[in-house]
Amino acid sequence: MLNVQNTITRKLHWGFLAVGLALTACKPTDIQVYQVPKEQHQPAMPADDAHAHGMASMGAQRSLSFQLPQGWSEKPAQRMRVAQISVPGKDGLDAEISIVPLAGMTASREDIMNIWREQLRLPAVDKSTAETAVNRVPISTGQGDLYDLVSTEPLIQEKHKMRILAAVYELEGVSWFIKMSGPDEVVSNARNDFLSFLKSLNWSAPPAPSPATASASAAAPSSSSSALPQWQVPPHWQEQNPPGPMLTAKFNIKDDQGKQAEVTVSSLAGDGGGALPNVNRWRGQLLLPPVTAEELPKLGTPVNINGRNITLYEMEGTWAKTGDPARMLVLSIPAGGQTWFYKLTGDSQLAAREKEAFLTFVRSVKYPHAH
Amino acid sequence: MLTKLLDWLSSMRLTVWCLCAAMILVFVGTLAQVEHGLYRAQKEYFQSFIVFSSLTVHFFGKKFILPVILPGGYLIGGILVLNLLFSQFRAGNIVPRKIGLYLVHGGLILLLLGQLITDMFQRETHMRLVEGHASNYSESAFYHELAIIDSSHPEHDTVIAIPEQLLATRSHVSHPALPFTLHIRKYFPNSRLANREPNDTSEPPATQGFGTTLAVREVPLATRSDEKNLPSAIIEFSGEGAPKGTWLVSTLMNQPQTFTHAGKEWKLLFRPVRVYKPFSIELIKFTHEKYPGTEIPKNFASRVRVINHQTGENREVLIYMNNPLRYGGQTFYQGSYDPNDPRVSILQVVRNPGWLTPYIACLLVGLGLTLHFMLTLFNFTRAQRNGGAQ
């Protein structure tokens, strides 16, 4: 009988050893090689290109020429930029100049300065400080604002302070941002060349009325504060005042777990640049690849907004602003010769929960010129 | 010595210790779910032999990190199985009148072993289906793989799937099917991506592909059951003609990056582990009913078509709550839906070789209890009768 027990015990012992080995073997640690039928992927699209789509409608065609000081070199323009220039410095340090046009900019000097101050990790300043810090300099045939800001911390390679020397020039409803940024030493040394460069800028011809610039002109906000719509805001939405550049209103939403979302309201003249470039711009904000005109109808679902069938675009991706998984819901509503954009962006789950409140908010809007 | 060991193994005292240890394990393991999340707590506490972990406790406003060393679920379960076996089948202990108890204990042993088989071999994945489209693979909710795909053949792709585990633990990976060696420069178990600021003068995470325009940051591991880790890695290739530079691969990007090697086009995609099947399932119609005026789901149903070219099978099936499709050794449950797209149904795909064991175990226990009760009653009434006769 003892032998039998011994055998049982030994077998169980081996059994448990086998179980242990099997457990180890169960972990997915082996490289698998297999063949599958071809799968259709969307072509990969770098994030830059994703942003270039649609955003191009915010700018204008390249009708700009300039003279580069010695040693400066022009690079391929990326994102919203119409030009990108490299300014060499010592010890392999470079500064960079970007030229970005924005149609219908309504941001104040205080807004602009505080955006750049935030990039330099500097505290925000009030309106009077911003006004006095801005200098007027010759740009092209006219004059524009010059901003000169430097960080207090070494932000570049943890050794060099960062400086932003930027000019803003208004031309026929378009704000041109010419911004040099880089290590403090390089930007300071290139200051005189930059001022000469500003004078050399030449907008020889106004943007041609091509479809692209038609979108650009359409992208100009046309609402005035006296013609603002009326709406009913859900009580848990916190209105942000001021809402920010180019926005009519902005509401922040937070839940108990610290998840965040925001609702923005903006308006553009005409059709607002068309659905495709706008959808692709929004997709770019969620790091999603752009879609074609054929794919566009599949992305939207019709919702009833006060008797009108309006297309709701819902997207799920990564919020470029936070890097977290996020959802975006956008409604474009034509009213009174303008297109009003209502956009809910934020944490996926929170945005899903806020969908009904968002739709109720949009349904509550009364437009001043709608009859 | 052996007799003492067998006495200990078959003692009721060991049973009580095991049950007490199981209670403590369940209590501490439940607390650990708050800190580590359901999945990790399950792995560390219940699917292990020994628990080596830690628990953060807040006491009077101060934070204490307590080390946790406990017998794991497998050890307690294993000892309980031995205890049940030895307590019943020791020499001189086997008597016909206890057959009911033997069946009960046999059922309990089967239940424990069945759970072990389920833990070891159950594979749970999800299949996302869009109306009008078919799919022949499901995806894991937890595990990821770096798929390096040779797409040069006109009819099929050759996939070399490298598990995330290897990216996490190795500095390089090579394989006969790969004409180059993969070097893992950095691995982020959970990460987020963001666009690089125009003025960001720091080095981009990678010199090739979409890593040149993005910034990647590591975030703490997901602990909530409704969150999941989204790993990223920075990799490099070496070998003759290998693509130059570093590449950012991330489960946050669902589009592949491409490169060319020796005239062949390759794709690179960090994605959930895929389980391919020898058949396809096509979603014909997805019904998603909600209670009127609310977002509360009332009923989901997926009418699907099972297409198996090997057997020539082509039939329609309706999958709805509590009515799954069992096919090819797998069970397809109506799992979820996509709140963004009403045409999308998500099926939960479960492969569990031990799915029958709980049913058999319950039958055995029920039968054993009935037999034991009947035998005891019979013996009791016989004793009563005999007593009355005297």
Side-chain angles (χ1 to χ4, degrees), chain B residues 185-331:
Chain B
R185 298 297 179 215
K186 207 163 185 183
Y187 166 73
F188 307 89
N190 193 12
S191 61
R192 296 291 181 269
L193 301 180
N195 277 322
R196 276 167 60 78
E197 291 295 327
N199 291 309
D200 191 349
T201 51
S202 61
E203 289 285 314
T207 60
Q208 301 289 330
F210 59 59
T212 55
T213 56
L214 296 174
V216 58
R217 66 185 165 93
E218 190 167 348
V219 294
L221 289 171
T223 55
R224 292 158 50 94
S225 56
D226 59 348
E227 292 176 343
K228 63 179 198 171
N229 294 316
L230 298 165
S232 298
I234 293 162
I235 60 169
E236 200 171 357
F237 301 98
S238 72
E240 197 179 333
K244 303 285 180 208
T246 51
W247 299 74
L248 170 67
V249 289
S250 176
T251 48
L252 283 149
M253 302 297 286
N254 58 8
Q255 298 294 318
Q257 300 176 85
T258 55
F259 61 86
T260 309
H261 178 268
K264 285 184 177 179
E265 189 182 81
W266 292 77
K267 289 176 181 167
L268 199 57
L269 183 61
F270 204 5
R271 67 187 188 189
V273 166
R274 282 188 187 180
V275 182
Y276 281 90
K277 304 172 195 317
F279 53 88
S280 301
I281 293 186
E282 180 191 343
L283 179 63
I284 300 167
K285 177 74 184 163
F286 179 48
T287 314
H288 175 194
E289 294 173 11
K290 296 174 190 169
Y291 286 101
T294 73
E295 287 296 305
I296 300 167
K298 183 182 175 189
N299 185 33
F300 304 111
S302 296
R303 179 163 290 283
V304 300
R305 183 186 302 282
V306 180
I307 306 159
N308 191 334
H309 295 298
Q310 289 175 357
T311 60
E313 204 167 346
N314 188 326
R315 63 185 169 98
E316 280 188 23
V317 183
L318 184 65
I319 300 172
Y320 54 92
M321 277 187 242
N322 300 323
N323 189 58
L325 160 70
R326 294 186 198 277
Y327 189 77
Q330 295 157 82
T331 312

Side-chain angles (χ1 to χ4, degrees), chain B residues 17-31 45-46 68-71 76:
Chain B
W17 275 112
C18 280
L19 292 177
C20 288
M23 282 168 64
I24 295 169
L25 184 73
V26 169
F27 179 71
V28 181
T30 309
L31 289 181
Y45 285 78
F46 306 111
V68 176
I69 302 172
L70 286 172
I76 296 173

Side-chain angles (χ1 to χ4, degrees), chain B residues 162-180:
Chain B
I162 302 168
E164 181 191 346
Q165 179 87 1
L166 295 189
L167 301 184
T169 54
R170 291 197 187 171
S171 62
H172 67 277
V173 174
S174 56
H175 191 272
L178 283 175
F180 35 70

Side-chain angles (χ1 to χ4, degrees), chain A residues 34 38 119 179 181 322-323, chain B residues 153 157 159 192-193 199 217:
Chain A
Y34 51 84
K38 283 211 168 289
Q119 288 174 12
K179 182 174 139 194
S181 60
T322 62
Chain B
H153 196 279
D157 288 342
V159 181
R192 296 291 181 269
L193 301 180
N199 291 309
R217 66 185 165 93

Side-chain angles (χ1 to χ4, degrees), chain A residues 192-275:
Chain A
N192 288 336
D193 283 344
F194 182 70
L195 294 175
S196 306
F197 170 74
L198 291 177
K199 286 182 198 166
S200 79
L201 292 167
N202 180 25
W203 287 268
S204 56
S210 66
T213 49
S215 298
S217 59
S222 58
S223 66
S224 64
S225 57
S226 60
L228 283 178
Q230 302 292 313
W231 46 55
Q232 288 179 347
V233 183
H236 61 290
W237 291 10
Q238 297 291 319
E239 183 160 10
Q240 180 178 307
N241 220 341
M246 303 183 72
L247 296 177
T248 306
K250 182 176 178 182
F251 305 94
N252 296 314
I253 311 166
K254 271 187 189 175
D255 72 0
D256 301 340
Q257 295 159 0
K259 291 178 176 171
Q260 294 182 23
E262 65 183 34
V263 174
T264 57
V265 183
S266 58
S267 71
L268 297 171
D271 69 350

Side-chain angles (χ1 to χ4, degrees), chain A residues 22-203:
Chain A
L23 281 173
T24 317
C26 272
K27 286 183 182 172
T29 53
D30 295 332
I31 296 176
Q32 305 282 326
V33 181
Y34 51 84
Q35 290 180 342
V36 290
K38 283 211 168 289
E39 188 185 346
Q40 292 301 314
H41 279 292
Q42 294 280 344
M45 179 67 73
D48 262 328
D49 289 351
H51 280 262
H53 278 258
M55 277 301 211
S57 69
M58 300 294 288
Q61 280 193 325
R62 167 73 185 272
S63 58
L64 175 68
S65 62
F66 40 73
Q67 285 184 344
L68 290 179
Q70 199 174 8
W72 291 19
S73 56
E74 191 173 358
K75 298 196 294 189
Q78 291 185 323
R79 301 191 189 187
M80 302 158 63
R81 305 165 185 185
V82 294
Q84 200 164 332
I85 296 154
S86 177
V87 179
K90 288 177 185 171
D91 305 325
L93 293 170
D94 283 353
E96 187 181 271
I97 293 175
S98 61
I99 302 180
V100 177
L102 278 178
M105 260 289 297
T106 54
S108 66
R109 284 174 172 161
E110 178 192 353
D111 294 331
I112 295 168
M113 179 166 274
N114 283 331
I115 287 170
W116 287 329
R117 287 183 69 85
E118 192 181 339
Q119 288 174 12
L120 297 175
R121 298 187 195 165
L122 296 171
V125 293
D126 59 20
K127 189 178 176 183
S128 61
T129 312
E131 292 288 343
T132 51
V134 174
N135 293 312
R136 297 288 285 175
V137 291
I139 299 175
S140 189
T141 53
Q143 282 209 323
D145 289 348
L146 184 74
Y147 298 77
D148 190 358
L149 304 162
V150 64
S151 70
T152 52
E153 297 172 38
L155 299 179
I156 297 173
Q157 298 168 4
E158 297 182 352
K159 284 192 286 191
H160 308 279
K161 289 181 182 175
M162 185 173 171
R163 182 176 284 270
I164 291 176
L165 186 63
V168 181
Y169 185 58
E170 303 290 336
L171 184 70
E172 296 175 0
V174 176
S175 301
W176 290 81
F177 290 79
I178 307 115
K179 182 174 139 194
M180 176 160 62
S181 60
D184 184 17
E185 303 85 347
V186 182
V187 175
S188 298
N189 289 337
R191 183 186 173 93
N192 288 336
D193 283 344
F194 182 70
L195 294 175
S196 306
F197 170 74
L198 291 177
K199 286 182 198 166
S200 79
L201 292 167
N202 180 25
W203 287 268

